[in-house]
Amino acid sequence: MRALDPAVRLGAYHHDSWTGEQGAPREIDAMAQTLDGWIWLGTTSGLVRFDGVRFEAFQPADGHRLLGKGITALAPHPNGDLWIGYTFGGLSVLREGRLHHLSPVAGNPVGATFSIAFERDGSAWVAATSGLFHVRDGVLTRMGAAQNYPTARAEYVYRDHYDRLWASDGAVLYLLDRHSGRFTPLFPVQHSPLILGSPDGRVWIVDAGRVRLLPEPPGGWRPAPAKALAGSSFQTLFDRDGNFWKGNCPVGLCRAYPASWQAHEGHFPDRVGDERLDQAWQMSSLNVHSMMEDREGNIWVGTVAGLERFRHNKLIRLPFPADAERLGLAHDGGGTIWAATQSPGDIARLWRVDDGAMRLVSTDQKAYVVTAAGDGTVLVGGNRRIERRRGDQVLESIPLPPVLPGQNKRNYVILVAQDRDSVWVGIGGRGLYRWHGGNWLPPEAHPQLKGLLFATADARGRTWFGLRNNRVVVREGEAWREYGERDGIALDGVRFIDARGEVLISGDNGMAVLRDGRFRPVVPEQADMLSNVSGIALTANGDRWLNTSRGLLRVRAADWSASMRDAAVPLRASLWNDVEGYPGSAETVVRMPSAFTASDGKVWLAGTDGAAWFDPARLRANALAPPVEIQAIHAGGQRYRPGEIAAFAPGTERLQIDYTALSYTMPERVSFRYRLVGLDQGWQEVGARRVAYYTNLGPGSYHFEVEAVNEDGVASGVVATPAFEIRPRFVQTRAFAALCVALAALAVYLLVRLRLAQVRRQLQARMEERFNERERIARTLHDTFLQSLQGLILRLQALALRLEPGSEAREQLDSALDLADKVVLEGRDQVMDLRIAADAPPLAQALADTAARLKEGSAVRVALRTEGSCVQLPCALHEEVVHIAREAIANAVRHARAELIEIDLACHGGRMVLAVRDDGVGLDPMVQMHGRPGHWGLTGMRERAARIGARLVIRNRPARGAEVVLTLQADAATSQRAVARATAGVV
């Protein structure tokens, strides 16, 4: 890393001040940066650490206290410790957040501390008002006569990179002889001496207002190695680029360039300064107490009122007058940069910049605009003429067109552009003129260009004109073509055109590119990122730098190509704004390109607050990964260090996690992402925010991860907290959940039992009601219909006996009486069905009884076989099964002409199978499918089986006869639905 480039003036660097308003401490007497990246500030009110954004008063982790509020010396040890010296004496070491007091009593033995130096073996030297001490393994040894250090005071101690140890008591400079262990006095010095090393390897002593070179070591001078640590308790330093910085010279801050102090050949006054900040408005205070260069190359200055930082800006600004505005820039082929500025009072000046030096150009006209002509010259538009310039020469002078009566007499040139054969000049209030063939053509000669905002020429000699109302006009020779809204332009006014490669246009509403005769919008990753592009600089590596209303956009070559190939790919870009030194926003009032790449490769741009440049070949990238630290976890109103607590109290729902990254060049550009493992599914991109909030957390195990990326894209790597747990409340435990499940199951079980009992009672009530109704119907049928029918049969039999046997009438009446007997028999069967008792016999018994009744009066034999143990069916199901069996047996007896009927009842594995088989004539296929015409026995059997959820098969046997098989599953046999269906079918 480099410090502050001596080729750039101090005013061009980024300067930040922190005072009490921003939380900064006062009277910063010492500064240090430790190995972990923290910057520490020793003040008169205690120890403070700073991450570039927030100041934090140090609180020891172990509850120990500092030995005093006033701190005069801070020294970072290579092992990561921080050594602390106090105003009133004492010595402490801060190690991993805990204080260790090496000299716990103020002034005994260590008095007020001036400086601390470390040996290669880790031991330390301490210069204090009570003497010079060597500290090894916690033991302090005061130097005295035995070491040839006779005085009881030491004002400075320093070990250079040649391993030489220097010490001074404020009167004499001593050098330690490593072989004898004794100090050698060298020469007298004045009060408060200071020893410094310059980056070229030389070692200097500062005292009595002078800087002197110390003796050269054996083997000669060699450059000092880069340092990872930094610390200072004094007001003078050499930075890594060789600049010499001095505070209080006599006030404020001075900087001397290397060439200035090196010209003095081994000694120079300490107040030498090429630049000074010595005005009260330039710093928080002009009273400097300490100074330090951090490992990124930034310069820090501690004052009475606060803290200052000087860092390199990516953009180097030019010091134009404060009232300069409407800045236009251009470059010629000779390396000169030209600028035109306007100031209140119609003051218009021409400037030129050669080798970084800016000077005003003397001219007899007001220079309003300047632009590159494309042939290595620039065109300057003034109130009298158009001048063509290169370097110190005016190559051509074109008088402005004469002012006609009634026209604006100001001759305010607002636009100049050159193409293959003409110079186009826009004059405010008069219109666009064309210088062609030694003559001016008035605006009336090209009316299609009314409302012109911008003009440029491409490599083919075509001229592109941007106009108001979404219009672009192209001139090729004397042929003209116009593009408009029908061709995809939707920018409002076309303020800028770049026709060097792809034809790009820009306006208030973004940017568009010409593709296949139409303009398509260039879609950026962020909305409005491409608003009012007024200049594009193309560098040697193919990157594009777009000057926009938001700042300078860098588009890498690969990202540009990807977006140009595919319109659906958003254009990726990174933004430079005031943090990088951008001067305001892009200059859009001036109708000239506001950005370009000069012949030396530098990129120049014009902004509303001035001009700036940078060299792409020397861009300073911060290659240091930002160290990330998770500082604290807040829960329940308490603050915990990571790892301090492994489990949070039950019911903890909110966490606040503080984290930071120790990157000091552009801390505002450091971006973070984090996640809470155990909750977040992915990373949360949070920008520069340095605190994470979580709410509505549940019990569980978590750990927090965070990663930072600095301003140049260098990532820190993931840093994580130790795992921690949020303990559950009892109501959040598995035991409580299991208890709830058990209680819920019990409740469901009880509700089911209750409901079953209710259904059972309802079914019993309904069944009793239906049984009562069936018995009533049976009694009615028996007492009325059947009795009447029987009486009628008896009378008919009496009549039949009176007729002559064998007569036709007698035979017909006997046939009718036989039919009536069958009707009576069937009626009695139905009455019997209606009167089945609720306490029905077992199914096998019921089947045997039914078969016995049905075969009476016939020669058919019946065989009943049972297998397994059949449960007693609910009454309604029992009745349906018996009815199906009765119908099957009755059909076999009456119609099959069978000799044997087999009834098989088997109950296995929760399934009941009832089969009725005969050896009769079998069933006609049509009867098997549809039943006998006018008979409903088979249909009724199928309906009853369906009602109880059983499967019924009616088929012919392979050899002879037919079989009826009824299959009923146990769950169907006992289910409420089956019972309900069966009951519903009871008449």
Side-chain angles (χ1 to χ4, degrees):
M1 297 293 294
R2 295 176 61 85
L4 300 189
D5 191 341
V8 179
R9 294 184 60 85
L10 187 58
Y13 289 98
H14 197 95
H15 176 200
D16 292 293
S17 293
W18 291 270
T19 64
E21 293 181 359
Q22 292 82 38
R26 297 176 60 86
E27 297 190 78
I28 301 173
D29 291 331
M31 290 188 284
Q33 185 175 28
T34 46
L35 192 63
D36 58 8
W38 278 103
I39 286 182
W40 298 85
L41 309 175
T43 75
T44 57
S45 57
L47 183 64
V48 175
R49 68 179 185 175
F50 183 49
D51 64 359
V53 176
R54 296 176 296 207
F55 295 91
E56 180 184 354
F58 170 68
Q59 299 293 334
D62 53 5
H64 289 179
R65 300 176 61 184
L66 296 168
L67 297 178
K69 291 288 188 180
I71 296 175
T72 55
L74 294 175
H77 195 282
N79 68 0
D81 295 346
L82 178 67
W83 288 56
I84 306 169
Y86 301 90
T87 303
F88 297 105
L91 184 65
S92 303
V93 176
L94 178 62
R95 180 177 299 131
E96 296 179 351
R98 301 178 182 275
L99 280 173
H100 304 270
H101 300 307
L102 301 180
S103 177
V105 179
N108 184 17
V110 178
T113 304
F114 291 105
S115 66
I116 302 171
F118 299 107
E119 293 280 17
R120 290 177 176 175
D121 61 6
S123 62
W125 294 90
V126 180
T129 56
S130 56
L132 179 65
F133 296 87
H134 187 215
V135 185
R136 185 190 300 275
D137 298 329
V139 178
L140 287 80
T141 302
R142 191 197 310 264
M143 299 295 102
Q147 293 83 21
N148 198 31
Y149 191 87
T151 63
R153 179 182 179 88
E155 293 191 1
Y156 202 76
V157 63
Y158 178 83
R159 186 179 73 85
D160 63 25
H161 65 287
Y162 305 101
D163 200 31
R164 297 183 297 179
L165 185 77
W166 308 84
S168 176
D169 58 3
V172 177
L173 178 67
Y174 295 88
L175 178 64
L176 178 64
D177 184 342
R178 293 289 187 183
H179 297 288
S180 66
R182 293 170 59 84
F183 286 89
T184 302
L186 296 182
F187 50 79
V189 296
Q190 298 293 324
H191 178 67
S192 299
L194 174 67
I195 300 174
L196 301 172
S198 57
D200 59 5
R202 291 186 286 179
V203 183
W204 308 77
I205 184 169
V206 182
D207 72 319
R210 59 188 173 175
V211 183
R212 293 180 287 167
L213 186 64
L214 289 179
E216 186 174 357
W221 303 109
R222 60 181 184 270
K227 296 185 296 183
L229 305 174
S232 174
S233 306
F234 294 86
Q235 303 89 38
T236 307
L237 63 79
F238 286 100
D239 69 27
R240 64 190 69 183
D241 278 340
N243 298 293
F244 178 75
W245 298 78
K246 179 70 172 71
N248 305 324
C249 51
V251 296
L253 184 66
C254 304
R255 182 178 81 149
Y257 304 145
S260 298
W261 60 264
Q262 289 171 355
H264 292 276
E265 294 296 333
H267 62 87
F268 58 91
D270 66 353
R271 293 186 179 181
V272 62
D274 297 296
E275 297 177 284
R276 298 175 182 270
L277 298 179
D278 55 6
Q279 301 299 310
W281 56 270
Q282 293 179 303
M283 297 178 65
S284 61
S285 170
L286 297 179
N287 187 351
V288 176
H289 278 203
S290 57
M291 196 178 303
M292 179 187 77
E293 180 186 17
D294 68 22
R295 62 189 183 188
E296 296 172 39
N298 306 304
I299 302 298
W300 298 84
V301 179
T303 72
V304 169
L307 183 66
E308 316 281 324
R309 179 189 63 190
F310 296 88
R311 67 166 173 82
H312 188 276
N313 264 331
K314 292 185 181 295
L315 292 169
I316 310 302
R317 299 175 66 165
L318 295 184
F320 283 102
D323 63 349
E325 56 186 19
R326 296 189 177 182
L327 170 66
L329 287 177
H331 66 104
D332 63 24
T336 298
I337 304 299
W338 297 84
T341 63
Q342 300 178 43
S343 301
D346 197 23
I347 299 173
R349 300 184 179 98
L350 182 66
W351 308 78
R352 60 181 292 178
V353 182
D354 296 285
D355 298 326
M358 186 177 71
R359 64 183 176 89
L360 186 64
V361 178
S362 177
T363 178
D364 63 348
Q365 69 168 348
K366 299 174 181 179
Y368 292 115
V369 296
V370 60
T371 188
D375 57 359
T377 66
V378 295
L379 296 174
V380 180
N383 66 328
R384 296 182 179 181
R385 58 190 174 272
I386 305 299
E387 294 180 344
R388 186 183 304 275
R389 289 177 173 261
R390 179 189 292 120
D392 296 325
Q393 296 179 311
V394 178
L395 304 178
E396 183 181 8
S397 181
I398 305 173
L400 291 182
V403 179
L404 300 178
Q407 290 184 332
N408 187 353
K409 297 181 180 181
R410 184 184 174 193
N411 272 348
Y412 177 48
V413 175
I414 58 177
L415 181 147
V416 177
Q418 177 178 308
D419 58 19
R420 179 178 296 176
D421 59 3
S422 304
V423 174
W424 300 83
V425 178
I427 302 177
R430 295 176 60 185
L432 180 67
Y433 290 81
R434 176 186 178 190
W435 177 257
H436 180 71
N439 297 299
W440 287 108
L441 299 180
E444 293 78 12
H446 32 266
Q448 64 270 49
L449 300 181
K450 186 176 182 180
L452 182 68
L453 298 176
F454 191 86
T456 189
D458 62 19
R460 295 168 51 184
R462 296 178 299 179
T463 312
W464 295 79
F465 300 92
L467 299 98
R468 297 185 177 91
N469 302 320
N470 293 314
R471 294 173 59 227
V472 171
V473 174
V474 185
R475 169 183 173 261
E476 187 169 8
E478 294 305 320
W480 298 82
R481 177 178 178 180
E482 180 173 331
Y483 296 88
E485 293 181 356
R486 66 183 182 280
D487 303 300
I489 302 178
L491 305 176
D492 197 6
V494 179
R495 297 175 176 269
F496 172 74
I497 302 175
D498 186 333
R500 291 172 294 177
E502 303 100 343
V503 176
L504 300 164
I505 61 175
S506 176
D508 289 344
N509 298 330
M511 191 166 70
V513 60
L514 184 60
R515 282 283 186 271
D516 300 324
R518 286 184 58 82
F519 285 93
R520 70 165 174 84
V522 178
V523 180
E525 275 192 328
Q526 302 177 24
D528 296 330
M529 191 169 68
L530 297 177
S531 175
N532 283 325
V533 175
S534 61
I536 299 177
L538 180 63
T539 54
N541 63 356
D543 289 354
R544 284 169 170 77
W545 299 81
L546 281 61
N547 202 11
T548 77
S549 58
R550 294 181 60 184
L552 186 64
L553 289 178
R554 179 182 187 177
V555 182
R556 298 186 183 274
D559 295 326
W560 181 267
S561 298
S563 187
M564 292 300 104
R565 285 194 305 267
D566 186 352
V569 177
L571 185 66
R572 295 181 58 189
S574 56
L575 177 68
W576 288 7
N577 55 22
D578 57 335
V579 176
E580 286 78 14
Y582 188 91
S585 59
E587 180 60 75
T588 57
V589 175
V590 177
R591 302 181 187 183
M592 304 286 124
S594 65
F596 56 82
T597 303
S599 56
D600 59 1
K602 294 178 180 177
V603 174
W604 290 79
L605 59 96
T608 54
D609 292 342
W613 62 271
F614 70 94
D615 187 348
R618 299 185 63 195
L619 275 179
R620 298 167 179 259
N622 185 356
L624 291 177
V628 173
E629 181 173 312
I630 301 172
Q631 299 171 277
I633 302 177
H634 302 263
Q638 300 293 320
R639 184 180 189 272
Y640 304 95
R641 292 181 176 86
E644 181 180 351
I645 184 170
F648 292 97
T652 300
E653 295 182 346
R654 298 171 181 265
L655 289 182
Q656 174 186 322
I657 304 175
D658 300 333
Y659 55 87
T660 191
L662 306 177
S663 182
Y664 293 95
T665 300
M666 293 185 186
E668 56 272 76
R669 279 281 188 266
V670 177
S671 58
F672 296 88
R673 64 174 187 164
Y674 63 69
R675 64 181 177 183
L676 185 62
V677 178
L679 176 69
D680 292 327
Q681 298 299 315
W683 291 95
Q684 296 190 45
E685 304 286 346
V686 295
R689 181 156 58 87
R690 300 188 180 213
V691 61
Y693 300 98
Y694 286 95
T695 59
N696 299 321
L697 292 174
S701 179
Y702 303 93
H703 71 269
F704 180 76
E705 296 181 345
V706 61
E707 184 177 27
V709 178
N710 74 4
E711 68 275 14
D712 289 309
V714 180
S716 64
V718 176
V719 175
T721 64
F724 58 87
E725 179 186 2
I726 296 179
R727 291 174 178 157
R729 295 189 179 99
F730 174 70
V731 296
Q732 296 173 316
T733 62
R734 291 184 177 179
F736 179 78
L739 178 61
C740 290
V741 171
L743 291 175
L746 178 60
V748 170
Y749 172 74
L750 294 176
L751 288 173
V752 170
R753 290 291 302 271
L754 178 61
R755 179 59 180 163
L756 287 175
Q758 291 176 342
V759 171
R760 189 179 299 111
R761 289 195 298 270
Q762 292 173 356
L763 289 176
Q764 289 176 350
R766 291 173 62 187
M767 290 176 67
E768 289 177 2
E769 179 182 352
R770 281 171 170 76
F771 287 145
N772 292 335
E773 179 65 15
R774 287 159 62 99
E775 290 180 355
R776 187 190 65 80
I777 294 173
R779 286 193 302 270
T780 302
L781 288 174
H782 182 272
D783 295 343
T784 58
F785 175 74
L786 291 179
Q787 294 294 335
S788 299
L789 184 58
Q790 187 66 41
L792 180 59
I793 291 173
L794 292 174
R795 294 184 64 182
L796 290 174
Q797 284 178 344
L799 290 175
L801 292 173
R802 294 179 182 180
L803 294 177
E804 183 70 25
S807 65
E808 182 178 355
R810 176 71 177 267
E811 289 179 357
Q812 290 179 354
L813 187 57
D814 287 343
S815 176
L817 286 172
D818 291 340
L819 181 60
D821 288 340
K822 291 182 180 179
V823 170
V824 171
L825 181 61
E826 289 179 359
R828 286 176 178 173
D829 289 343
Q830 293 297 324
V831 169
M832 186 176 294
D833 288 344
L834 288 173
R835 296 186 65 91
I836 287 179
D839 53 348
L843 183 59
Q845 182 63 44
L847 293 174
D849 294 344
T850 300
R853 286 196 304 270
L854 291 175
K855 76 181 187 67
E856 289 180 358
S858 68
V860 67
R861 290 177 294 113
V862 176
L864 174 64
R865 292 186 296 270
T866 61
E867 294 182 15
S869 178
C870 294
V871 299
Q872 181 66 21
L873 296 177
C875 185
L877 265 67
H878 177 96
E879 179 183 350
E880 295 290 349
V881 172
V882 171
H883 195 99
I884 293 172
R886 179 185 295 114
E887 185 66 29
I889 297 169
N891 287 336
V893 171
R894 295 171 185 169
H895 307 295
R897 297 195 295 276
E899 296 178 0
L900 175 64
I901 298 175
E902 297 174 318
I903 303 173
D904 293 327
L905 177 63
C907 296
H908 295 291
R911 186 174 66 168
M912 185 198 76
V913 179
L914 172 63
V916 178
R917 302 180 180 90
D918 65 65
D919 59 356
V921 297
L923 290 171
D924 183 87
M926 294 301 295
V927 174
Q928 183 179 341
M929 293 178 58
H930 305 294
R932 296 179 186 276
H935 292 258
W936 305 102
L938 297 182
T939 302
M941 291 169 66
R942 290 189 176 98
E943 290 175 351
R944 290 176 185 274
R947 192 157 53 234
I948 64 175
R951 185 166 66 93
L952 181 68
V953 178
I954 303 173
R955 63 194 172 194
N956 287 324
R957 300 175 68 184
R960 185 181 180 188
E963 68 176 351
V964 176
V965 181
L966 178 71
T967 304
L968 182 66
Q969 297 291 340
D971 56 350
T974 58
S975 69
Q976 294 182 21
R977 293 181 61 189
V979 174
R981 287 196 299 265
T983 305
V986 177
V987 179

